[in-house]
């Protein structure tokens, strides 16, 4: 492992534990600054313009988090008492729908096994007039966090967009790990994003920036989102210090995400040979581990692995999530597999 993370600990809890690179620190120290709440911070503006161009959109907006970027997209596009259609296991539905407190919108789930929305049900729901509620936005997610980093095909995303357009609504892509999805598909970011009207991307996961996300889309939508960002108290002043790290991440860290995918694949393959474990083989950098056949639950596994200096996250009563990132070297993968093997050997009844 590298940087200031403990040399004794393998932290697989999330790719949000990544630390800034030395290049990021240098760029942060020399970033031109201004007041982003008044006439603008030049480095934040550079980040917004660069990200919009990279993703093939007209405009961008820097936000403190991808959750806020998703919220701003919804606030800017969905009138109160209208409906948001989103995956039943998506982050927007499972973790963010409390935003209805602010949006006044209704969140209606659509099944999304393996990260792909049920197209037939999506089309039927858009055509339905039951409940006198009007769908106003379709939200997709890729790569899909709760579905083990799954990536929907470009053809599927195109179908979602076409069905939504026929239904008269826009598509928002929760692309918190969108660059992982693009790498997995072997396409550039703009190609992936062409099938969504607005897209949010997180800078603080595998890209290693310390904070922030960018929302991109049409100029009018982004301008409205900018006004709403100020309304909810997110004017960020001299935020170019953080935006500089985001720029560096976009320009230098995307290509290396393939290394994380290879490490996740190696971890999945190694754990598939451990007695009692069932592995969802990864498409990107997330490995889901089903421990239901071991006689121990997820929390017990988390504690046992922590004692062996391997950190993971319980993702349900019998499910663990392991996420690879740039601080996880290839030799750390074998060490983690050995820790899992040792815990499995000592597993007993719950």
């Amino acid at each position: 492992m590298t940087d200031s993370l403990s040399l004794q600990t393998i932290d697989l809890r999330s790719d949000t534990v990544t630390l800034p690179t030395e290049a990021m620190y240098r760029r942060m120290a020399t970033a031109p600054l201004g007041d982003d709440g008044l006439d603008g911070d030049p480095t934040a503006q550079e980040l917004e313009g660069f990200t919009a161009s990279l993703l093939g959109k007209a405009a961008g907006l820097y936000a403190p988090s991808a959750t806020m970027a998703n919220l701003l997209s919804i606030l800017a596009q969905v009138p109160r008492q209208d409906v948001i259609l989103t995956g039943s296991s998506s982050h927007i539905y499972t973790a963010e729908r409390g935003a209805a407190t602010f949006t006044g919108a209704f969140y209606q789930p659509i099944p999304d096994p393996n990260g792909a929305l049920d197209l037939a049900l999506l089309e039927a729901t858009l055509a339905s007039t039951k409940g006198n509620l009007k769908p106003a936005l379709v939200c997709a997610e890729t790569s899909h966090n709760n579905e083990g980093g799954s990536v929907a095909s470009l053809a599927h995303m195109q179908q979602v967009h076409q069905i939504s357009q026929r239904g008269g609504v826009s598509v928002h892509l929760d692309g918190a790990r969108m660059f992982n999805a693009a790498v997995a598909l072997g396409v550039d970011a703009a190609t992936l994003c062409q099938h969504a009207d607005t897209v949010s991307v997180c800078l603080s996961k595998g890209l290693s920036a310390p904070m922030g996300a960018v929302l991109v889309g049409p100029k009018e939508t982004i301008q409205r989102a900018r006004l709403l960002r100020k309304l909810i108290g997110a004017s960020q002043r001299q935020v170019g210090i953080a935006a500089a790290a985001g720029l560096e991440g976009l320009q230098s860290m995307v290509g290396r995400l393939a290394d994380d995918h290879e490490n996740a694949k190696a971890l999945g393959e190694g754990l598939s040979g451990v007695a009692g474990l069932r592995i969802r083989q990864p498409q990107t950098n997330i490995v889901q581990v089903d421990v239901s056949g071991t006689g121990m639950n997820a929390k017990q596994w988390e504690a046992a692995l922590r004692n062996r200096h391997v950190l993971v996250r319980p993702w349900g009563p019998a499910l663990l999530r392991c996420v690879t990132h740039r601080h996880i070297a290839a030799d750390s993968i074998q060490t983690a597999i050995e820790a899992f093997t040792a815990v499995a050997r000592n597993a007993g009844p719950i």
Side-chain angles (χ1 to χ4, degrees):
M1 306 221 299
T2 57
D3 298 320
S4 60
L5 290 180
S6 169
L7 294 176
Q8 305 302 315
T9 300
I10 299 171
D11 194 342
L12 295 166
R13 291 173 299 170
S14 177
D15 44 7
T16 59
V17 302
T18 50
L19 300 175
T21 64
E22 289 301 319
M24 288 179 184
Y25 283 120
R26 290 193 296 269
R27 196 157 180 170
M28 292 161 72
T30 59
L33 302 178
D35 192 325
D36 197 48
L38 294 178
D39 51 0
D41 178 283
T43 304
Q45 290 172 337
E46 182 182 0
L47 171 63
E48 291 167 347
F50 179 85
T51 309
S53 178
L54 184 66
L55 303 189
K57 303 302 180 186
L61 175 67
Y62 189 39
S65 69
T67 295
M68 181 177 284
N70 289 337
L71 171 62
L72 290 170
S73 180
I74 289 168
L75 284 170
Q77 298 182 88
V78 182
R80 296 185 68 84
Q81 299 179 346
D82 278 359
V83 177
I84 301 159
L85 303 179
T86 185
S88 57
S89 62
S90 70
H91 198 269
I92 284 179
Y93 186 72
T94 62
E96 300 177 24
R97 71 179 185 273
T101 303
F102 306 105
T103 66
F106 296 88
Y107 289 67
Q108 183 168 342
I110 301 290
D112 55 348
N114 298 312
L117 291 168
D118 183 317
L119 296 176
L121 187 55
L122 174 64
E123 190 160 24
T125 304
L126 285 169
S128 174
T129 58
K130 292 181 179 179
N132 298 314
L133 296 174
K134 177 185 175 184
L137 186 67
V138 171
C139 296
E141 179 180 341
T142 195
S143 67
H144 198 295
N145 185 21
N146 287 325
E147 289 293 315
S150 295
V151 178
S153 69
L154 287 178
H156 173 83
M157 295 179 67
Q158 182 179 31
Q159 287 177 292
V160 169
H161 201 199
Q162 290 173 342
I163 290 169
S164 301
Q165 287 179 320
R166 288 198 296 269
V169 303
S170 296
V171 173
H172 171 67
L173 176 62
D174 177 358
R177 292 183 175 88
M178 185 277 302
F179 289 104
N180 289 94
V183 169
L185 291 171
V187 301
D188 60 49
T191 297
L192 188 153
C193 294
Q194 66 182 321
H195 302 307
D197 300 285
T198 57
V199 182
S200 62
V201 292
C202 185
L203 306 172
S204 64
K205 295 185 171 69
L207 300 184
S208 298
M211 62 162 283
V214 182
L215 173 67
V216 299
K219 287 183 179 179
E220 290 185 5
T221 302
I222 297 304
Q223 181 57 32
R224 177 162 173 75
R226 190 178 298 278
L227 295 172
L228 289 162
R229 188 188 67 174
K230 187 170 186 177
L231 184 66
I232 62 176
S235 290
Q236 301 177 92
R237 306 307 177 193
Q238 288 75 39
V239 75
I241 292 174
L247 266 170
E248 181 65 30
L250 288 172
Q251 293 169 353
S252 67
M253 302 298 288
V254 173
R256 63 148 311 281
L257 293 176
D259 297 338
D260 299 340
H261 297 185
E262 285 300 311
N263 283 336
K265 181 180 178 181
L267 179 63
E269 290 174 349
L271 295 182
S272 66
V274 177
L277 299 183
R278 289 188 295 172
I279 311 303
R280 183 173 189 162
Q281 293 300 333
Q283 288 182 268
T284 53
N285 66 324
I286 298 176
V287 181
Q288 286 187 346
V289 184
D290 185 332
V291 299
S292 59
T294 67
M296 291 170 55
N297 63 35
K299 289 185 178 180
Q300 290 171 321
W301 266 92
E302 187 274 335
L305 288 168
R306 182 179 289 271
N307 287 337
R308 294 181 178 275
H309 308 291
V310 175
L311 306 183
V312 299
R313 287 183 72 181
W315 213 247
L319 195 66
L320 300 175
R321 188 186 78 158
C322 304
V323 186
T324 54
H325 48 81
R326 73 180 181 87
H327 298 302
I328 303 297
D331 57 355
S332 298
I333 298 299
Q334 184 56 41
T335 302
I337 293 169
E338 292 170 0
F340 271 89
T341 302
V343 173
R345 189 179 299 122
N346 297 320
I350 297 175

